[in-house]
Amino acid sequence: MHKPLILLAALAFASPSLAATNLVTNGGFEAGNSGFTSTYNYVAPNANLMVPENTYTVASNAANQHPSWANVGAFAGNNFLIANGSSKSDAPVWMQIITGLEIGRLYDFSAMAVNVCCNASYGGPNVSPLIISIGSNGTPQTIATSGVLGSTGTWTPFTGSFVATSTSTSLSIFTDVSAASGNDFGLDEISVTAAVPEPATWMMMMLGMAGVGFSLRRKTQSGPRVRFA
């Protein structure tokens, strides 16, 4: 294989994996209550201590934290964030400063959300949508909403994207709700990654580079030849 083609193949395999690096710290909550902040009050995992609103914990199962919550475990791994939602719609349950951004580049956000209320002996109300926003310099921008989390125990993905306007930005998740009752949810697998170009875009880039390499090779081969007597 020619050197230009080897280089193209290496770029095709390496670039998507490099772009997929998660910029969120402890997005799967396997490191417990660390790497993020919250306006909610933290409660260490223990039986039935999550009854007050505006509280959260990081644990393996919702049913162990509240007498009315369903038997809901993490989407992936052992832990997830479990919240007894605030009645204040502008109170973030999870916040983190994302660094290492490249100005002008597109980034993808994704997370998993679940309704943890309520157990079989209790009517399970819908949880209002979760909203993710980014913002720096006091100008937050909504980039994604989960939609209503209606089915208890069913993990729901919600995604969005944004173009970086600085090398760092704040990221916040909060509920769009004004009532406390039933507003109980879980979060897991929070991620921010640089957007990976579509396969067609990669192919066009590879073909373009291959064309340049082929053209240079032809020029080299068709150059003047020196004959020796």
Side-chain angles (χ1 to χ4, degrees):
M1 183 182 291
H2 299 301
K3 288 183 178 179
L5 295 181
I6 295 175
L7 177 60
L8 288 171
L11 287 173
F13 284 102
S15 297
S17 60
L18 290 174
T21 300
N22 188 5
L23 300 178
V24 172
T25 301
N26 192 27
F29 301 100
E30 296 307 294
N33 183 40
S34 66
F36 64 97
T37 59
S38 178
T39 62
Y40 285 34
N41 299 314
Y42 173 71
V43 177
N46 209 329
N48 303 330
L49 294 184
M50 288 287 295
V51 174
E53 279 77 33
N54 198 52
T55 56
Y56 80 96
T57 192
V58 177
S60 60
N61 194 290
N64 298 333
Q65 314 305 318
H66 193 293
S68 297
W69 287 355
N71 183 25
V72 179
F75 175 78
N78 297 315
N79 293 330
F80 68 115
L81 185 150
I82 312 169
N84 191 328
S86 172
S87 59
K88 298 178 180 179
S89 60
D90 59 349
V93 64
W94 180 95
M95 298 179 291
Q96 190 173 130
I97 301 297
I98 307 300
T99 60
L101 301 175
E102 181 181 333
I103 296 175
R105 186 163 190 178
L106 181 67
Y107 289 86
D108 292 329
F109 162 84
S110 65
M112 301 298 297
V114 64
N115 180 350
V116 300
C117 184
C118 294
N119 61 35
S121 62
Y122 198 95
N126 291 336
V127 174
S128 293
L130 300 177
I131 295 175
I132 180 73
S133 69
I134 63 165
S136 55
N137 302 322
T139 55
Q141 171 193 357
T142 298
I143 60 171
T145 179
S146 69
V148 173
L149 304 175
S151 180
T152 301
T154 300
W155 283 96
T156 302
F158 66 113
T159 61
S161 61
F162 64 95
V163 175
T165 57
S166 62
T167 56
S168 65
T169 189
S170 62
L171 199 65
S172 303
I173 299 177
F174 53 95
T175 60
D176 180 20
V177 67
S178 58
S181 178
N183 185 30
D184 310 311
F185 57 90
L187 290 169
D188 205 357
E189 296 301 294
I190 303 172
S191 174
V192 171
T193 59
V196 178
E198 295 293 330
T201 303
W202 279 110
M203 183 61 68
M204 291 298 294
M205 292 170 59
M206 292 174 65
L207 289 175
M209 293 177 66
V212 171
F214 181 73
S215 177
L216 290 174
R217 187 167 180 271
R218 288 194 61 186
K219 287 183 179 180
T220 301
Q221 291 178 340
S222 61
R225 298 180 180 180
V226 178
R227 287 191 174 184
F228 294 94

